[in-house]
Amino acid sequence: MTATLTSAPAIVRTIAELRRRVSEYRTQAGPGAKVGLVPTMGFLHEGHASLMRRSAADNGLTVLSIFVNPLQFGPNEDFERYPRDEARDLAVAAEAGAQLVFLPEVKEMYPTPPSTKMTVSGITEMLCGASRPGHFDGVGVVVTKLFNIVQPDRAYFGLKDAQQVAVVARIVSDLNQPVEIVPCPIVRESDGLALSSRNVYLKPEEREQALVLSQTLRQVPAWIREGAAPGELKSRMAAAIARMPLAEIDYVEVLTYPELQAPSDAAPLRDLKMNLLAAVAVKFGQTRLIDNVLLNPTEVI
Amino acid sequence: MTATLTSAPAIVRTIAELRRRVSEYRTQAGPGAKVGLVPTMGFLHEGHASLMRRSAADNGLTVLSIFVNPLQFGPNEDFERYPRDEARDLAVAAEAGAQLVFLPEVKEMYPTPPSTKMTVSGITEMLCGASRPGHFDGVGVVVTKLFNIVQPDRAYFGLKDAQQVAVVARIVSDLNQPVEIVPCPIVRESDGLALSSRNVYLKPEEREQALVLSQTLRQVPAWIREGAAPGELKSRMAAAIARMPLAEIDYVEVLTYPELQAPSDAAPLRDLKMNLLAAVAVKFGQTRLIDNVLLNPTEVI
């Protein structure tokens, strides 16, 4: 057991106070000042902690934001019951090196219903965008707001939400937002389950069967080496997942990344000279889980 | 004749170079550094010059952007024939105190067709938004891009485009963009015609008849004092304009500002305790002109 020396991060609940603190840091730190932002919806796990640690290594000031954004939840989704645990989140933030925690109320972020809507076309119609209409519009607005409030040099996102990373990077590029998007690897339990705040919903049997996601994704490089075309790869993935009786597949998809275009089904994927995303969304009981692997086919040979 | 001492502003055509120059200024000027942005489509007149002079008085660095934004022109509008005169614009910029002129090509601002769209609802469906569908979506994207590129402390807009000012202010507020919007008064020719880059299109007879716009707007306070309700005020304005045979009315509108809501027609406007915008758009020949007056009814008594 190692005792880690950590200091409690400052908790900030208003935009004005957050801006004052960041500006204070920049003035004190001078021209080399760097600010990292880790935007989250809280109920933090080791995946979030890895983003904060990376930010703390890269930047003089790391801001963690915790905001369950109503705009990105559909009417039948889990906004109300989304898990929250502020006290535990603050302990995780302290341990991972965040110095400021931005914890606004909904009223602070949306004092009036926003009139401004953002839509990203071309990369939001598939994967999670297909089953969660409007989800990425809400993500776009809240991430843009957080960027404008914190004005970070870098922002850290986990690749578990690979489509979210692609959408945010596209908005940043399209609108010239002055921030560097840093995609970070998926963090997993020792048995392979990708960390997610929603994993707490899983009943023991569902959690056991959910291991099929990471097990299936681990086989993707071998299937590509064997010469699978996109259609065949998706069939193999779907068949492997469907062996679990509790698994209800939402999608099994294979797309170029970050363009999210379908690669030609006429050629084996091992000849593709682009990054490839193999992604799945599967419901176990009431809980929808996502997982993916991002790879360069020419490097799996 | 007074000789004015001016130094030629630096011309910058790339985003990277613009950012480098602004950042250089901020480093040199220290914590008190203030940057003002005057976004324009060029073909500058005294209205634009007044914005630059105001910015130069308020800020240590004034950036003028000149970009005819294809995204805010409809398919049948005048994007291709919009007047351009770079050499003259640079002379106006120098005289008015702009130190940096950002003159990007379309390819620099839109290297690929943007996937990100912004829409503002509630205040874009009337006035110019009604006759120019998609116009304010294009304005929103380009202004957001310019804010993100220049990162100004303040941005200056002329109230001749009063709806544009309201839309930009709403986007800034909705998305927490870290910039102060400074609305500036309409500048007019000595005979009352509101300055516009499009005035060059007017034939002599059209220009003569176009004076009816400012003449009509000048009567609005008196009509409000006399007790006109919104419907009656609009009728009087429309009748006054329609006396000119070349005038083809697009709209005559009376709305609260900046909410752009229709005030109740049941009461005289002089009882209204909100800012009021009386605005007109009228075609003379092929040229569509807009003009307006912004007033507080309780102060016109």
Side-chain angles (χ1 to χ4, degrees):
Chain A
M1 297 278 278
T2 331
T4 313
L5 274 179
T6 55
S7 59
I11 302 171
V12 176
R13 297 190 189 272
T14 68
I15 292 166
E17 169 76 355
L18 194 280
R19 283 187 164 145
R20 199 185 59 71
R21 295 259 194 168
V22 172
S23 157
E24 199 175 88
Y25 160 72
R26 288 201 182 273
T27 304
Q28 284 168 3
K34 294 290 174 195
V35 177
L37 170 67
V38 179
T40 78
M41 298 207 301
F43 211 72
L44 304 178
H45 51 63
E46 183 54 29
H48 302 108
S50 75
L51 303 179
M52 287 184 268
R53 279 196 290 271
R54 172 75 191 273
S55 172
D58 293 349
N59 306 283
L61 175 68
T62 289
V63 180
L64 166 72
S65 67
I66 299 178
F67 180 62
V68 185
N69 174 34
L71 225 56
Q72 72 194 65
F73 286 79
N76 298 313
E77 293 184 1
D78 58 348
F79 173 67
E80 289 301 338
R81 69 175 192 121
Y82 195 86
R84 291 158 169 90
D85 188 340
E86 191 172 312
R88 213 194 47 154
D89 285 352
L90 294 174
V92 175
E95 188 276 328
Q99 292 109 321
L100 277 183
V101 180
F102 182 45
L103 258 165
E105 298 282 335
V106 172
K107 270 283 169 207
E108 179 73 4
M109 290 294 277
Y110 303 111
T112 57
S115 307
T116 306
K117 200 177 154 187
M118 293 174 64
T119 47
V120 181
S121 56
I123 60 173
T124 59
E125 296 82 357
M126 64 296 285
L127 302 174
C128 291
S131 34
R132 304 186 70 186
H135 169 68
F136 287 113
D137 298 352
V139 170
V141 166
V142 81
V143 166
T144 297
K145 284 170 73 75
L146 289 168
F147 289 170
N148 285 331
I149 291 166
V150 179
Q151 296 179 255
D153 298 279
R154 304 184 183 97
Y156 296 80
F157 291 86
L159 277 166
K160 183 160 151 297
D161 298 294
Q163 186 176 18
Q164 175 174 274
V165 176
V167 171
V168 171
R170 184 68 63 95
I171 293 173
V172 165
S173 163
D174 277 345
L175 299 182
N176 305 96
Q177 291 174 346
V179 58
E180 179 192 348
I181 302 303
V182 184
C184 297
I186 296 175
V187 177
R188 300 179 180 280
E189 303 280 6
S190 57
D191 62 6
L193 184 70
L195 296 192
S196 165
S197 304
R198 291 186 172 96
N199 288 350
V200 295
Y201 299 149
L202 293 168
K203 296 180 183 128
E205 198 183 1
E206 292 165 355
R207 195 199 173 292
E208 182 62 35
Q209 296 197 13
L211 294 180
V212 73
L213 302 186
S214 55
Q215 288 161 357
T216 300
L217 291 166
R218 269 204 302 275
Q219 297 185 71
V220 165
W223 288 335
I224 290 176
R225 271 196 299 271
E226 289 165 31
E232 192 191 336
L233 179 60
K234 286 191 274 188
S235 299
R236 288 198 190 187
M237 293 168 65
I241 293 166
R243 279 204 299 268
M244 292 299 157
L246 296 177
E248 186 190 325
I249 293 177
D250 177 357
Y251 63 74
V252 169
E253 199 49 271
V254 171
L255 298 169
T256 64
Y257 194 85
E259 304 82 7
L260 303 184
Q261 300 299 306
S264 160
D265 205 39
L269 283 165
R270 64 185 173 199
D271 298 334
L272 189 76
K273 285 172 183 59
M274 301 173 83
N275 288 326
L276 195 72
L277 178 76
V280 300
V282 180
K283 277 185 88 169
F284 293 88
Q286 292 303 303
T287 308
R288 183 176 172 279
L289 300 180
I290 60 174
D291 200 351
N292 70 74
V293 61
L294 188 58
L295 46 78
N296 188 323
T298 59
E299 289 167 9
V300 300
I301 308 299
Chain B
M1 298 275 280
T2 330
T4 314
L5 274 179
T6 55
S7 59
I11 302 171
V12 176
R13 298 191 189 270
T14 68
I15 292 165
E17 168 78 356
L18 194 278
R19 284 186 163 145
R20 198 184 61 69
R21 295 260 194 168
V22 172
S23 158
E24 199 175 270
Y25 161 73
R26 288 201 183 274
T27 305
Q28 284 169 4
K34 294 290 175 196
V35 177
L37 170 66
V38 179
T40 77
M41 299 207 301
F43 212 72
L44 305 177
H45 51 61
E46 183 55 28
H48 301 109
S50 74
L51 303 179
M52 287 184 268
R53 278 196 290 270
R54 172 76 191 274
S55 173
D58 292 350
N59 306 283
L61 175 68
T62 289
V63 180
L64 165 73
S65 67
I66 299 179
F67 181 61
V68 185
N69 173 34
L71 227 57
Q72 71 193 66
F73 286 79
N76 297 315
E77 293 182 3
D78 57 349
F79 172 66
E80 289 301 336
R81 68 175 193 121
Y82 195 85
R84 291 159 169 92
D85 187 342
E86 193 173 311
R88 211 193 51 156
D89 285 353
L90 294 174
V92 174
E95 189 276 329
Q99 292 106 323
L100 276 183
V101 181
F102 182 44
L103 258 164
E105 298 282 334
V106 171
K107 271 281 171 207
E108 179 72 7
M109 291 293 278
Y110 303 111
T112 56
S115 307
T116 306
K117 199 178 154 183
M118 295 174 65
T119 47
V120 182
S121 56
I123 59 172
T124 59
E125 295 83 357
M126 63 297 284
L127 302 175
C128 291
S131 34
R132 305 186 69 185
H135 169 67
F136 287 114
D137 299 351
V139 169
V141 166
V142 80
V143 166
T144 297
K145 284 170 74 74
L146 289 168
F147 290 170
N148 286 330
I149 291 166
V150 179
Q151 296 179 258
D153 298 278
R154 305 184 183 98
Y156 297 80
F157 291 86
L159 276 166
K160 182 159 151 298
D161 297 295
Q163 186 176 19
Q164 174 174 275
V165 175
V167 170
V168 171
R170 183 67 65 92
I171 293 173
V172 164
S173 163
D174 278 344
L175 298 182
N176 305 97
Q177 291 174 345
V179 58
E180 178 193 347
I181 301 302
V182 184
C184 299
I186 297 176
V187 177
R188 299 179 179 281
E189 303 279 6
S190 57
D191 61 8
L193 184 69
L195 296 193
S196 165
S197 304
R198 290 187 173 96
N199 287 352
V200 294
Y201 297 151
L202 294 168
K203 294 181 185 128
E205 197 184 3
E206 292 164 356
R207 194 196 173 296
E208 181 62 34
Q209 297 197 13
L211 294 180
V212 73
L213 302 187
S214 56
Q215 287 162 356
T216 301
L217 291 166
R218 270 204 302 272
Q219 296 185 70
V220 165
W223 289 335
I224 291 175
R225 271 196 300 271
E226 289 165 31
E232 191 191 338
L233 179 59
K234 285 191 275 187
S235 299
R236 287 198 192 188
M237 291 168 67
I241 293 167
R243 278 203 300 270
M244 292 299 157
L246 296 177
E248 187 190 326
I249 293 177
D250 176 358
Y251 63 73
V252 168
E253 199 50 273
V254 171
L255 299 169
T256 64
Y257 193 85
E259 305 81 7
L260 302 184
Q261 300 298 308
S264 160
D265 205 42
L269 283 165
R270 64 185 173 200
D271 297 335
L272 188 76
K273 285 172 185 57
M274 301 174 82
N275 287 328
L276 195 71
L277 177 76
V280 299
V282 179
K283 276 185 89 172
F284 293 88
Q286 292 304 301
T287 307
R288 183 175 172 280
L289 299 180
I290 60 174
D291 201 350
N292 71 74
V293 61
L294 188 58
L295 44 80
N296 187 323
T298 60
E299 289 168 9
V300 300
I301 309 299

